Amino acid sequence: MVLLLFGPPGSGKGTQSGKISHWLRIPAISTGDMLREEIKAGTALGKAAKSIMSNGGLVGDDLVNRMLAQRVSLPDCEHGFLLDGYPRTVEQAEYLDGVLAEQQLRTPIVLHLDVPMDALVGRLTSRRQCPSCKRIYNLLHQPPKRPGICDDDGTRLITRKDDSEDVVTERIRTYDELTRPVLAYYQDRKYHQIRGDRSPGYIFEEITGILEPVVAKNGSSCCTKALGKGQKS
Ligand code: ADP
């Protein structure tokens, strides 16, 4: 099963992708996380991406497409995967179709987390992330138990550099201009719009409700084990 998680910055994609990946036992691939790792490692790709990301723009399609194709060709993606933050342009969506055809994977299921634009800036500027396990917290709604420390592995939480108010505004503008049109590309396929302005637990229940029939029908190894676990997490 291939899942695409769509939504503007701050719509909760990262939180839901962690839950879905754990439930279905498929890798969650965030191109944003991958690019941040490249920056940290000081690679040529990281150097090319750094200033674009810190200004809230999009990294070039060629660079991101190549990075993505390499990642999904790894053995852990054989039975499917979830993409968080890709495709972000129509060109990336077309490229992904080619990659999926090559790997003989099915048409992706698109989950669109729709959140009113005026809620996003506040959500993003109060967001904190564990740099180690990537878990996301929100100081207003989902704070860590100990201030500034990840509940899961005790790492000190960070504020992403691009979560400052001016960069957030630019990221939302970029989403509207370049990524929203990608939704039209998937409109007549397996497309599901989900209200993202509710608690993460409710949203995850809606997602499991959408996916359970597909899981039951596919009966693929990773997904068969997952059946019935959705409502508990
Ligand atoms: P968010 O969805 O909250 O904006 P991400 O972590 O997905 O955060 O992305 C952070 C930044 O990484 C983006 O603003 C963009 O610069 C870059 N990026 C991530 N994914 C892509 C992509 N598919 N294409 C181009 N740039 C990307």
Side-chain angles (χ1 to χ4, degrees):
M1 182 189 305
V2 176
L3 300 173
L4 309 183
L5 208 47
F6 264 94
S11 56
K13 297 188 300 291
T15 302
Q16 294 302 326
S17 94
K19 286 172 176 285
I20 297 167
S21 154
H22 183 73
W23 173 49
L24 292 180
R25 300 174 205 200
I26 53 175
I29 298 167
S30 155
T31 44
D33 281 345
M34 289 178 77
L35 290 167
R36 280 184 287 277
E37 292 298 328
E38 297 282 342
I39 292 175
K40 214 166 35 172
T43 63
L45 170 56
K47 284 183 183 132
K50 192 171 179 180
S51 67
I52 300 171
M53 287 173 73
S54 57
N55 290 324
L58 288 189
V59 178
D61 287 332
D62 282 354
L63 295 178
V64 181
N65 285 343
R66 231 177 300 145
M67 176 180 83
L68 190 277
Q70 272 177 14
R71 175 64 188 88
V72 301
S73 68
L74 297 181
D76 64 337
C77 291
E78 205 181 342
H79 297 294
F81 46 83
L82 177 155
L83 297 180
D84 160 3
Y86 183 97
R88 249 172 157 103
T89 62
V90 173
E91 194 178 331
Q92 290 180 16
E94 288 167 353
Y95 182 84
L96 178 64
D97 276 346
V99 170
L100 296 181
E102 217 167 273
Q103 292 192 210
Q104 298 180 328
L105 286 161
R106 290 169 206 245
T107 309
I109 299 172
V110 179
L111 303 170
H112 170 203
L113 293 179
D114 197 23
V115 176
M117 287 296 161
D118 55 5
L120 297 174
V121 176
R123 274 190 181 200
L124 286 163
T125 50
S126 58
R127 174 162 81 172
R128 300 291 180 270
Q129 189 173 23
C130 172
S132 170
C133 72
K134 314 289 182 214
R135 181 166 167 186
I136 293 163
Y137 296 86
N138 186 292
L139 298 186
L140 307 174
H141 311 294
Q142 302 158 269
K145 293 193 184 99
R146 279 188 297 155
I149 304 291
C150 178
D151 294 349
D152 292 342
D153 59 20
T155 306
R156 187 163 293 282
L157 302 179
I158 56 160
T159 304
R160 261 171 53 176
K161 287 201 182 72
D162 59 352
D163 277 349
S164 64
E165 193 163 341
D166 53 337
V167 182
V168 160
T169 308
E170 181 57 20
R171 281 161 60 206
I172 294 171
R173 204 192 61 73
T174 304
Y175 176 84
D176 261 339
E177 188 189 326
L178 298 171
T179 306
R180 205 175 273 288
V182 181
L183 292 171
Y185 184 85
Y186 288 111
Q187 209 61 236
D188 54 355
R189 305 208 205 168
K190 297 172 185 169
Y191 170 85
H192 302 272
Q193 188 164 3
I194 295 158
R195 266 188 50 207
D197 56 345
R198 296 169 297 162
S199 79
Y202 275 116
I203 296 171
F204 184 57
E205 259 188 48
E206 183 168 343
I207 291 174
T208 56
I210 291 168
L211 296 180
E212 264 169 0
V214 187
V215 168
K217 203 166 142 201
N218 285 357
S220 76
S221 57
C222 65
C223 302
T224 315
K225 287 181 208 150
L227 249 186
K229 293 200 173 167
Q231 312 304 328
K232 289 178 198 154
S233 321

